[in-house]
Amino acid sequence: MAGLMAGYGHYTHAVVRGIPASLAKEALRSSQTEVDLAKAVKEHEAYVEVLRTRLGLEVVELPADESLPDCVFVEDAAVVCGDTALITRPGAESRRGETEAMKGALKDLNLNIVEMTDENATLDGGDVLFTGREFFVGLSKRTNQRGAEILADAFKDYAVSTVPVLDGLHLKSFCSMGGPGLIVIGSSEPAQKALKIMQQMSDHRYDKLTVPDDLAANCIYMNLPSKGHVLLHCTAEEFPESAKVFEKLKDHMLIPVSNLEKVKVDGALTCCSVLINKKANI
Amino acid sequence: MTTEAGSETEVKEKAEESAAEPDQSEKATEDSQEVANAEVEEKEKAKVKEKEEKEGKGISRYLPTWLKKQKSQSQTSPTKEAPPTEEPVSKVTQEEEGPAPEVNGHAEEVEEKEEVKSEQVKEKEAETHSNASADTEPAKEEKVEESAEKSPEETKETTEGEGAEEETKEKEGAVEAEGEAGEGQTSIFQSPLRLVRKNKMKLVVCHVTLLDGTDFTCEVEKRAKGQYLFFKVCEHLNLLEKDYFGLTYQDNHDQKCWLDPTKEIKRQIRSNNWQFAFNVKFYPPDPSLLTEDITRYLLCLQLREDVASGRLPCSFVTHALLGSYTLQAEIGDYEPDQPRPLDFISQLTFAPNQNKEMEEKILELYKSHRGMTPAQADTQFLENAKKLSMYGVDLHHAKDSEGVDIMLGVCANGLLVYKDRLRINRFAWPKILKISYKRNNFYIKIRPGETEQFESTVGFKLQNHRAAKRLWKVCVENHSFFRLNAPEPPTKARFLTLGSKFRYSGRTQAQTRMASSLIDRPAPSFERTSSKRTSRSLDGAPMISITEAGRESAENGREPHLELHSDSKDHDKTQEEVLKHQASISQLKRSFMEAPPPSPPQPNQWEKRLTSSPATIRLQQQQVSLAEEIASVLFSRQTDIGLYSTAKAACIFPEPPLDAVKTTSSAATTSSAAVCSFSAPQRPLATLSTALSATEVSVPQTEAATADNTTSDTKEPAKTTEVEIEETVVVQEISRAPKPGLVTVAASPPAAPSAEQEMREQEVKVQEEAVVVEEAKPRKEESISSESESEEEAEYHPYLPVSISHTQIPEEKEEEEEQEKQEEDKTAELQVLASDASSLPAEVIQPAEETSREEEESRKEDDTETEETEKTTNAEEEKEVERETEESTDDPMVTPDEAPNGLTLPEEGVTVIDAHAEEEEEPKMNGEPSLIEAEPLPQVICCSEPPVVKTEMVTISDTFAAQKTEIATKEVPIVHTETKTITYEAAQLDGNGDGEPGVLMTAQTITSESLCTTTTTHITKTLKGGLSETRIEKRIVITGDCDIDHDQALAQAIKEAKEQHPDMSVTRVVVHKETELAEED
């Protein structure tokens, strides 16, 4: 009988999606770079493998859709908390189609589906930071106020605070949760500013772990039955300094995951999966 | 005498009131009066009384009648009541309160003999009390009509205030005013003795809707206070941890309001609808810390209602979970045999949009709770409910500066701002320096962040002023309840109060936790009925509840009835204790509260400050509008024993760091800045500042001063129609204030709205030095509060007070900054002074080449300048300056504090005055010694024009500007301004230890701001030799147009300051006027 907020980081399922060939050329990106499709695919396979094999999650893998070059970044298509799933309305029009498959998958998992139908609303899951106690929604190029409102309506138990995202694509482009009550944050000024706002807006106290690189601040925390605190984070190859910071976390099972290729199209670690806790409470 | 007449009058006037009431009051008055007259001890009391009355005089004199209504309210408000009473009072209250319930119950049965007997006793004990409340209060009421006839001395002040009140009441039907006014009397009326004697006690039937949906009916005396009814209800509920709860009623506008326990019910409900609801007022953040199950049960009931009604939003799952615990608690284990459980469940309301699916889920979960006791189920319920983000959040509709609809949520942690369902900002209590409202605007002043230099003020628009006031009250109460500790009563701590304010009258959470930890009774058995709320008329419900009840009692192993009896005994006992406790607490609190009259900023400015989103919200407070008047008052007091201090008279013309242009004594100048400072060089100083109009500066002020001396108060017609009074409550989050060391007060002179672009600055700095003989009236002083409760506005300062031992942490930063600035300012003054010295009339006219920028900066400086020396160093500087001035200039000194001293500390006051008189050298201010208007005592508060220095302080300003990098310069049109600075210094007989720097013990700065005025109060405590010195400097900036009656404002400010610090003397008054000259100039 877990109540609210119990068992933060408990996950049983993960929804992922394959990489379409179109990603290399057509996926949205903020900087013009060449993506090595083969490497990206390999990278992603490794990622999924960690979830499935290493961590023992039930992985639901959706097939890639060539018409949706960004479809691998499933996080943006849905926000799942408890047994409620909010199907988003992604800010980038080219990505709106991604939600269909996601909705189906989540329905199959018996989640309560809430859809964002308001045409004035946009929301990318990458802008949603759930701390276990509350939501922070980044107001970015992809997410607007209305989208945040709908999210607030979908998850009524929690406070939903908005945070302006001045720099970077998403809120989670420079922060994520590194544990219960632990926010991993980049050291850039915009990141620090955002953290300040979050702290001001919150009734709760959070610890922070500052890493030198903003992108490295995006990591995946889980609390798994047999493994305890698990943290998927950047590799030393990508961000040597930040990796060192993560390595200081003694209580966590640390799993460096490479993200060299996907990052070129603004994909971070959290972007590639939607984590779900079935048989969670109740 | 007067009193009786008054009561009769009252009768006539108050048609609505029952005949019995006036009689009662009359009686009461008579009694108290008789006693008072008869007893020798009265003298002391008389003093007290006088004091109080004096308080009453306050600003009201200067206010238009319609404004006075507010004032009078404040007078009667609890604040006043408590202060005078202190400990003795608390006793009295206790006694009175205790029996009161009984009276209601068996009122007629009370025997006369006992009454008389007890009455006498009481009388003695309550002497003070009766004097304060009985004599004064009734008198006030009557005066309405007869004010003219009455002896000026005693009744005058009150008369005006009350009269105004009455009028307003009648005209506007401002029930509330009446209610509040009546409050003071309540205690008397409530006393069983009198009531019984009269036999006219009227009983009213109250209906209270309880949390389980049942109706509780009880009779209360018509004059009963809110807490009487509340205690009745708690008694009925067998509830001990009652501080989390309260009674609500619907006002005329169908708004839910909290019944103020300290005020009469009748005067709050504004209608004949004696219908109330028992509700949770403060949601404990951690319900598991509650001591008793019954308390948790009641909290559960409230939350079930909140959830079912949608007030406490939660998700589907949470609805189901909470519902399942509700079932478990209310009907026990799931009975597999029960036919069609779903039907049953569907008859209950768990959620606003309950559906079949949810009911199934509830049932499913409910089954899983098997074996859980009701208490456990409640606990589980609460554990889940408390995590909901809207748990305990009291929402209020509002608009941000852009007119966007938002919600303001008040909770244990602070103030939350929501737009739709999104939290867009949050202000934790520690971040909030001041909470105020004015008309329908609600303001909070925010402590500057790490990187910010200035405080910022955020404003919101409420639907109407009632809504603003309601929100303000809720904030005050929540802050008090959740943030304040239970402070030990500061014995003599005197806090300066301006105007009375509403404040939380109950126990804080800390206190209630303490108290409940002492609860020693067997867990009371109570019935968990399927709350009526949920039952849409079930037939099965009763059955269930019965079962439940049986089970409960079985668990406890006692018979419910028996227990009830014993419980009630305990209960009564505790209740008394509680009352006592509460009384002392409230007194304590009162002492912490302050209500500096608000100083309304210009509407436009406020508009600008209104913000909604976090990003936009912060505004630099230091943006000074062009037209301002600044007044600062410095009060100082020595707490040491046996010390007299007299003030030296010295006049100084400190130069304000403003750009000064030319002065014309002509009335052409619209605005002026006056700085009056009364300072005793080495003493604690108090500065009061007000603004004077360039034209008629001196006269009105003098009048004001005179008024203080008990001359005729009535004269001041108060032309300031547009002036509004704000209430300010400064609450200290301290645990104790061992010595009277703190506090603040801000007097805000009335000011009329001014055009934005007008540049007028008036700066009045009144520094008062008050030296109090050691016997600084311990208790009596508490009563000193000019209570002005205005309906329209109020302020509340959630402060962390300073205790002697610690330096104030939270505000250190600010202070430092301020100090820097001050120092700068001082230097500026010095320079100026020098120039002044050379020419007495000092008219230095410098070429006017002021850049807008300079002006701006100078203004800022002025603002900051306020915070006077906290450290001795600064003080030293000041002294030097002052001395210089003294030598060079011979000016009349002003001792505004005479009145206060005269009343409270006769001897001292006299001395001071004499000193002044002697030392005073012909007031040769600009040749217009008009100041002293036939004043017996030379009370020159301000000089009209004499010490006008026409200067342009460009250079100085520049220097400062250079130093102050942080100052945001605003683009200001170039305006020619006139600046005048007048300083009055009190003579100081006490030459000792002047040079000794002393040790700074505490320092505090409080700033309040409102539409037209900004009041900054700086309080410094220093330890010099064996003396502890409290120095208060007030700086008031009045911004306004020609419409402002500066003289009045100044006079009022000074007066208020004096009243606030009766035991202090004014040592220096600096009036700085900056006037914008006509374009031609």
Side-chain angles (χ1 to χ4, degrees):
Chain A
M1 54 196 57
L4 289 172
M5 301 168 210
Y8 178 66
H10 287 186
Y11 298 113
T12 56
H13 292 65
V15 178
V16 298
R17 197 164 192 181
I19 294 186
S22 55
L23 176 134
K25 295 269 186 274
E26 298 167 37
L28 302 169
R29 66 204 76 189
S30 45
S31 60
Q32 284 308 321
T33 42
E34 281 292 312
V35 176
D36 184 327
L37 184 64
K39 275 189 188 171
V41 169
K42 213 171 177 187
E43 195 176 87
H44 188 59
E45 279 169 0
Y47 176 93
V48 174
E49 220 27 51
V50 168
L51 296 180
R52 183 173 0 232
T53 315
R54 185 112 185 240
L55 301 177
L57 298 181
E58 191 110 350
V59 176
V60 177
E61 195 158 5
L62 303 174
D65 185 334
E66 287 303 327
S67 66
L68 301 169
D70 289 299
C71 70
V72 65
F73 304 122
V74 290
E75 175 187 49
D76 292 324
V79 178
V80 178
C81 179
D83 51 7
T84 299
L86 173 67
I87 306 302
T88 67
R89 190 166 179 277
E93 226 175 318
S94 65
R95 301 191 60 187
R96 303 256 160 88
E98 295 175 23
T99 57
E100 267 314 306
M102 178 59 70
K103 185 167 75 179
L106 296 178
K107 248 183 191 157
D108 291 343
L109 289 169
N110 279 321
L111 295 177
N112 302 317
I113 304 293
V114 179
E115 287 188 77
M116 192 174 285
T117 51
D118 189 327
E119 300 212 336
N120 296 317
T122 62
L123 182 116
D124 275 13
D127 277 317
V128 179
L129 178 68
F130 178 62
T131 69
R133 296 157 171 165
E134 63 194 309
F135 284 96
F136 291 106
V137 178
L139 298 181
S140 65
K141 297 173 192 110
R142 300 280 179 85
T143 301
N144 64 19
Q145 179 100 6
R146 184 74 192 121
E149 283 168 20
I150 292 173
L151 179 130
D153 227 37
F155 305 104
K156 291 201 178 73
D157 291 347
Y158 301 99
V160 179
S161 305
T162 54
V163 183
V165 175
L166 308 172
D167 198 40
L169 178 63
H170 286 138
L171 176 65
K172 281 197 279 190
S173 296
F174 52 78
C175 70
S176 65
M177 295 305 291
L182 175 65
I183 295 178
V184 182
I185 186 80
S187 53
S188 75
E189 196 178 314
Q192 293 293 322
K193 228 177 209 167
L195 178 66
K196 276 233 165 65
I197 292 175
M198 289 191 278
Q199 286 171 330
Q200 187 201 324
M201 301 275 256
S202 176
D203 294 326
H204 307 284
R205 296 194 137 257
Y206 293 104
D207 297 324
K208 67 170 177 178
L209 178 69
T210 306
V211 294
D213 310 285
D214 276 6
L215 284 176
N218 183 292
C219 56
I220 300 175
Y221 168 79
M222 294 184 217
N223 185 358
L224 301 179
S226 51
K227 305 185 174 54
H229 302 293
V230 178
L231 198 65
L232 277 63
H233 63 86
C234 63
T235 60
E237 189 187 351
E238 286 171 273
F239 301 108
E241 293 306 314
S242 296
K244 277 183 202 160
V245 175
F246 284 117
E247 280 156 15
K248 287 178 187 158
L249 293 172
K250 297 297 176 202
D251 296 337
H252 290 62
M253 172 193 243
L254 299 172
I255 306 176
V257 178
S258 175
N259 196 39
L260 273 174
E261 290 305 317
K262 286 183 284 187
V263 78
K264 291 177 183 171
V265 283
D266 299 322
L269 287 179
T270 59
C271 296
C272 302
S273 60
V274 171
L275 301 175
I276 297 155
N277 186 22
K278 272 312 286 174
K279 67 184 149 183
N281 6 2
I282 304 157
Chain B
M1 358 137 83
T2 41
T3 329
E4 294 188 9
S7 343
E8 290 179 2
T9 319
E10 183 186 2
V11 180
K12 293 175 193 168
E13 293 184 0
K14 298 183 185 178
E16 28 153 340
E17 297 201 17
S18 67
E21 288 177 7
D23 288 347
Q24 287 179 8
S25 59
E26 196 178 340
K27 259 295 189 248
T29 324
E30 276 181 288
D31 289 347
S32 52
Q33 207 132 39
E34 289 176 7
V35 179
N37 293 336
E39 299 194 4
V40 185
E41 310 165 9
E42 280 309 306
K43 288 180 183 177
E44 286 194 8
K45 276 113 203 188
K47 281 180 188 173
V48 180
K49 189 174 161 187
E50 279 184 345
K51 220 178 182 178
E52 292 207 331
E53 289 188 351
K54 180 182 72 188
E55 294 177 12
K57 289 180 190 172
I59 322 164
S60 61
R61 219 178 302 162
Y62 301 95
L63 298 178
T65 26
W66 58 273
L67 270 181
K68 285 178 185 172
K69 172 190 82 187
Q70 301 165 349
K71 246 246 158 111
S72 55
Q73 285 178 5
S74 59
Q75 283 180 341
T76 38
S77 80
T79 329
K80 186 175 184 177
E81 217 185 7
T85 45
E86 279 277 36
E87 289 186 359
V89 175
S90 62
K91 270 185 186 174
V92 177
T93 343
Q94 200 185 325
E95 292 182 1
E96 290 183 356
E97 298 284 352
E102 292 300 321
V103 178
N104 283 334
H106 348 275
E108 290 75 26
E109 302 176 7
V110 185
E111 294 173 305
E112 288 268 341
K113 295 174 187 175
E114 276 197 21
E115 297 173 6
V116 180
K117 204 176 177 183
S118 55
E119 187 178 353
Q120 286 178 351
V121 181
K122 230 181 221 166
E123 215 94 272
K124 279 179 187 172
E125 291 185 13
E127 277 304 335
T128 345
H129 185 54
S130 57
N131 280 335
S133 52
D135 286 349
T136 330
E137 301 285 338
K140 290 178 194 167
E141 288 196 1
E142 318 147 3
K143 289 165 192 174
V144 182
E145 293 186 358
E146 306 189 352
S147 55
E149 307 173 3
K150 309 219 162 156
S151 71
E153 303 204 348
E154 288 195 1
T155 40
K156 226 178 278 162
E157 332 86 84
T158 27
T159 313
E160 291 189 7
E162 290 302 320
E165 180 191 355
E166 293 288 346
E167 288 178 14
T168 13
K169 211 193 293 174
E170 292 181 2
K171 290 177 185 173
E172 303 180 3
V175 184
E176 196 174 299
E178 181 187 340
E180 292 179 49
E183 194 206 333
Q185 308 170 358
T186 329
S187 53
I188 298 176
F189 296 136
Q190 238 188 349
S191 120
L193 308 171
R194 288 169 182 140
L195 294 174
V196 176
R197 195 198 262 174
K198 260 307 181 187
N199 269 337
K200 287 207 173 183
M201 180 176 60
K202 291 219 169 176
L203 295 180
V204 183
V205 177
C206 295
H207 299 277
V208 182
T209 305
L210 303 179
L211 288 168
D212 62 1
T214 56
D215 206 48
F216 169 70
T217 306
C218 75
E219 283 189 334
V220 303
E221 172 196 338
K222 205 171 179 186
R223 285 268 191 180
K225 284 183 186 173
Q227 71 182 7
Y228 174 76
L229 177 60
F230 179 66
F231 286 149
K232 273 289 203 191
V233 175
C234 291
E235 195 178 14
H236 171 76
L237 292 170
N238 202 8
L239 172 66
L240 289 189
E241 295 175 282
K242 52 171 89 79
D243 301 285
Y244 300 96
F245 302 86
L247 293 176
T248 60
Y249 63 93
Q250 305 274 330
D251 69 8
N252 291 342
H253 307 269
D254 266 355
Q255 287 294 330
K256 192 182 96 171
C257 301
W258 290 106
L259 191 67
D260 189 334
T262 64
K263 297 181 180 172
E264 283 183 35
I265 299 169
K266 181 171 71 77
R267 301 186 180 257
Q268 297 182 61
I269 57 178
R270 296 190 177 207
S271 66
N272 239 350
N273 184 18
W274 292 68
Q275 183 77 45
F276 308 90
F278 180 81
N279 288 114
V280 173
K281 188 172 190 182
F282 305 112
Y283 291 75
D286 190 353
S288 65
L289 295 182
L290 294 174
T291 300
E292 296 199 302
D293 284 343
I294 190 172
T295 316
R296 266 187 289 275
Y297 167 65
L298 292 172
L299 178 57
C300 279
L301 289 179
Q302 175 71 66
L303 287 167
R304 282 165 197 160
E305 166 68 24
D306 291 346
V307 168
S309 67
R311 269 197 305 278
L312 180 56
C314 48
S315 64
F316 175 88
V317 175
T318 304
H319 272 306
L321 192 61
L322 295 178
S324 67
Y325 287 126
T326 301
L327 286 180
Q328 182 69 23
E330 293 188 344
I331 55 184
D333 286 350
Y334 171 71
E335 297 283 344
D337 308 336
Q338 184 167 355
R340 313 174 52 161
L342 269 180
D343 288 353
F344 166 69
I345 290 175
S346 65
Q347 285 176 313
L348 305 173
T349 308
F350 296 100
N353 44 3
Q354 185 171 326
N355 54 28
K356 194 91 187 155
E357 187 189 1
M358 184 180 290
E359 286 159 9
E360 282 168 1
K361 192 78 182 172
I362 290 172
L363 180 61
E364 174 192 335
L365 292 169
Y366 169 44
K367 289 176 184 171
S368 72
H369 299 327
R370 206 175 162 76
M372 201 178 275
T373 68
Q376 286 171 331
D378 277 351
T379 303
Q380 285 301 316
F381 179 96
L382 293 174
E383 284 306 296
N384 284 279
K386 78 175 185 191
K387 293 175 187 163
L388 294 169
S389 79
M390 299 305 285
Y391 172 82
V393 178
D394 185 11
L395 286 178
H396 297 253
H397 286 282
K399 285 185 195 301
D400 66 9
S401 58
E402 287 139 23
V404 177
D405 284 318
I406 56 168
M407 298 285 274
L408 294 176
V410 186
C411 67
N413 293 322
L415 189 64
L416 303 168
V417 185
Y418 294 93
K419 187 173 172 203
D420 294 308
R421 294 195 29 84
L422 297 176
R423 185 184 291 182
I424 58 172
N425 212 341
R426 171 177 175 272
F427 304 99
W429 291 127
K431 273 289 254 180
I432 300 179
L433 290 173
K434 189 179 83 173
I435 309 164
S436 59
Y437 74 94
K438 181 174 161 62
R439 287 199 223 92
N440 64 334
N441 294 313
F442 175 79
Y443 305 106
I444 53 177
K445 179 176 285 184
I446 311 298
R447 189 186 298 279
E450 300 164 8
T451 56
E452 298 152 300
Q453 196 173 13
F454 302 115
E455 302 156 346
S456 52
T457 299
V458 184
F460 303 95
K461 276 219 178 315
L462 279 286
Q463 244 170 350
N464 49 49
H465 93 267
R466 287 188 315 277
K469 184 179 184 182
R470 200 163 49 236
L471 172 59
W472 178 80
K473 278 183 162 185
V474 170
C475 284
V476 169
E477 293 186 317
N478 273 269
H479 172 265
S480 302
F481 186 81
F482 290 111
R483 293 286 303 171
L484 299 187
N485 291 323
E488 291 176 25
T491 41
K492 322 177 177 176
R494 297 197 58 252
F495 293 101
L496 322 164
T497 7
L498 260 191
S500 78
K501 307 151 187 192
F502 166 86
R503 61 222 140 53
Y504 175 59
S505 59
R507 285 194 285 207
T508 65
Q509 179 175 243
Q511 288 171 324
T512 198
R513 278 182 182 164
M514 280 286 286
S516 19
S517 68
L518 300 177
I519 291 178
D520 182 22
R521 68 170 181 182
S525 75
F526 55 92
E527 225 179 80
R528 280 186 177 84
T529 57
S530 188
S531 36
K532 306 293 192 282
R533 139 206 75 82
T534 38
S535 62
R536 301 163 178 164
S537 87
L538 330 173
D539 297 338
M543 291 280 294
I544 293 167
S545 58
I546 290 170
T547 324
E548 169 67 4
R551 198 174 100 160
E552 255 307 294
S553 51
E555 280 179 9
N556 289 334
R558 300 177 187 238
E559 231 222 274
H561 290 293
L562 289 179
E563 221 171 19
L564 267 179
H565 288 293
S566 63
D567 282 349
S568 59
K569 256 190 196 171
D570 284 349
H571 194 215
D572 285 343
K573 196 176 170 188
T574 13
Q575 197 164 326
E576 263 188 32
E577 291 175 0
V578 171
L579 277 172
K580 189 184 195 172
H581 194 62
Q582 283 181 341
S584 57
I585 291 169
S586 49
Q587 283 172 10
L588 198 102
K589 279 192 193 137
R590 268 161 213 155
S591 58
F592 283 91
M593 307 288 208
E594 294 194 352
S599 32
Q602 297 184 342
N604 300 331
Q605 283 185 315
W606 281 113
E607 285 300 328
K608 290 177 200 163
R609 296 185 187 189
L610 293 177
T611 36
S612 57
S613 71
T616 32
I617 286 187
R618 314 224 148 192
L619 290 180
Q620 298 264 334
Q621 207 183 9
Q622 293 291 335
Q623 298 173 343
V624 181
S625 67
L626 295 181
E628 309 195 312
E629 306 178 16
I630 304 176
S632 52
V633 183
L634 196 55
F635 290 86
S636 63
R637 165 174 59 159
Q638 292 189 343
T639 32
D640 280 10
I641 301 172
L643 271 191
Y644 283 130
S645 70
T646 31
K648 295 177 186 173
C651 300
I652 309 175
F653 301 93
E655 278 298 324
L658 303 180
D659 308 352
V661 192
K662 285 186 173 184
T663 347
T664 335
S665 54
S666 67
T669 55
T670 33
S671 68
S672 59
V675 180
C676 302
S677 73
F678 300 24
S679 70
Q682 301 213 330
R683 304 289 155 179
L685 306 177
T687 350
L688 205 205
S689 59
T690 27
L692 309 178
S693 69
T695 356
E696 312 176 338
V697 179
S698 54
V699 179
Q701 290 203 347
T702 328
E703 281 188 11
T706 323
D708 281 347
N709 290 337
T710 32
T711 358
S712 61
D713 301 345
T714 32
K715 295 174 183 175
E716 297 283 22
K719 308 164 184 176
T720 53
T721 7
E722 310 194 32
V723 179
E724 301 204 353
I725 302 175
E726 278 186 14
E727 274 182 67
T728 306
V729 177
V730 179
V731 175
Q732 320 277 348
E733 283 192 359
I734 298 186
S735 40
R736 65 173 59 186
K739 293 207 174 179
L742 286 184
V743 189
T744 19
V745 176
S748 68
S754 64
E756 282 190 356
Q757 295 278 341
E758 305 235 32
M759 299 195 42
R760 290 150 198 178
E761 278 210 16
Q762 292 202 358
E763 197 182 49
V764 181
K765 233 197 208 168
V766 181
Q767 294 187 339
E768 294 186 4
E769 181 189 10
V771 181
V772 182
V773 182
E774 186 200 17
E775 322 141 349
K777 337 254 148 162
R779 317 270 151 158
K780 300 172 185 175
E781 297 180 353
E782 292 270 320
S783 60
I784 302 173
S785 60
S786 64
E787 310 184 342
S788 63
E789 183 172 325
S790 77
E791 281 254 326
E792 300 272 305
E793 340 174 310
E795 293 177 357
Y796 175 85
H797 296 245
Y799 270 110
L800 289 176
V802 190
S803 61
I804 293 186
S805 43
H806 334 172
T807 353
Q808 202 175 2
I809 302 171
E811 306 204 339
E812 276 182 358
K813 262 192 191 172
E814 278 184 27
E815 287 180 356
E816 287 183 7
E817 292 177 9
E818 287 168 5
Q819 265 198 337
E820 287 184 359
K821 286 171 189 167
Q822 286 178 10
E823 289 190 5
E824 292 175 2
D825 289 347
K826 290 222 164 116
T827 25
E829 282 193 7
L830 279 172
Q831 295 180 10
V832 179
L833 286 175
S835 62
D836 286 352
S838 54
S839 63
L840 240 193
E843 287 204 359
V844 183
I845 306 180
Q846 297 186 358
E849 286 189 6
E850 324 126 7
T851 52
S852 57
R853 209 206 152 167
E854 293 168 17
E855 284 195 4
E856 249 281 302
E857 282 164 8
S858 59
R859 233 157 255 137
K860 263 158 203 167
E861 289 169 11
D862 282 348
D863 272 4
T864 32
E865 175 190 330
T866 316
E867 331 312 6
E868 276 278 20
T869 52
E870 315 166 341
K871 309 214 166 172
T872 28
T873 38
N874 287 343
E876 296 284 283
E877 282 189 15
E878 211 184 18
K879 286 170 191 171
E880 288 184 17
V881 179
E882 290 173 1
R883 280 172 195 162
E884 284 189 20
T885 16
E886 284 185 19
E887 294 174 0
S888 55
T889 54
D890 297 346
D891 284 345
M893 28 202 304
V894 187
T895 49
D897 41 11
E898 286 174 359
N901 286 337
L903 293 179
T904 44
L905 314 173
E907 324 98 348
E908 191 187 332
V910 176
T911 349
V912 178
I913 295 170
D914 287 350
H916 287 308
E918 292 175 6
E919 293 200 8
E920 235 187 71
E921 314 207 1
E922 291 287 325
K924 294 183 183 177
M925 322 222 109
N926 290 327
E928 300 193 7
S930 55
L931 326 181
I932 310 179
E933 255 198 3
E935 279 275 337
L937 305 178
Q939 269 209 348
V940 182
I941 296 186
C942 85
C943 2
S944 48
E945 328 216 333
V948 174
V949 181
K950 301 171 184 173
T951 330
E952 197 181 340
M953 319 227 352
V954 181
T955 350
I956 298 174
S957 315
D958 275 346
T959 321
F960 291 145
Q963 294 177 354
K964 301 183 181 181
T965 44
E966 288 285 353
I967 295 181
T969 33
K970 208 167 139 194
E971 298 192 0
V972 183
I974 299 181
V975 181
H976 299 272
T977 57
E978 176 187 36
T979 309
K980 297 188 210 175
T981 304
I982 305 168
T983 308
Y984 299 89
E985 225 177 291
Q988 282 219 329
L989 296 183
D990 200 13
N992 317 333
D994 278 5
E996 296 179 21
V999 180
L1000 175 69
M1001 301 195 302
T1002 57
Q1004 185 181 16
T1005 306
I1006 300 172
T1007 310
S1008 63
E1009 193 180 24
S1010 53
L1011 274 180
C1012 300
T1013 58
T1014 303
T1015 304
T1016 312
T1017 307
H1018 195 69
I1019 301 168
T1020 322
K1021 280 198 80 171
T1022 357
L1023 197 55
K1024 269 190 202 172
L1027 304 184
S1028 91
E1029 194 176 272
T1030 307
R1031 184 179 190 178
I1032 302 172
E1033 189 190 59
K1034 299 186 88 179
R1035 181 196 185 82
I1036 301 164
V1037 180
I1038 305 170
T1039 311
D1041 269 357
C1042 25
D1043 294 338
I1044 303 180
D1045 186 337
H1046 300 301
D1047 304 315
Q1048 265 190 11
L1050 177 58
Q1052 188 177 314
I1054 294 174
K1055 210 171 149 212
E1056 283 174 4
K1058 287 199 287 185
E1059 287 174 359
Q1060 290 167 14
H1061 316 271
D1063 57 338
M1064 295 193 163
S1065 56
V1066 176
T1067 52
R1068 203 164 69 137
V1069 177
V1070 179
V1071 180
H1072 176 82
K1073 298 198 287 181
E1074 190 177 345
T1075 312
E1076 182 184 344
L1077 300 180
E1079 289 281 48
E1080 314 87 65
D1081 290 341

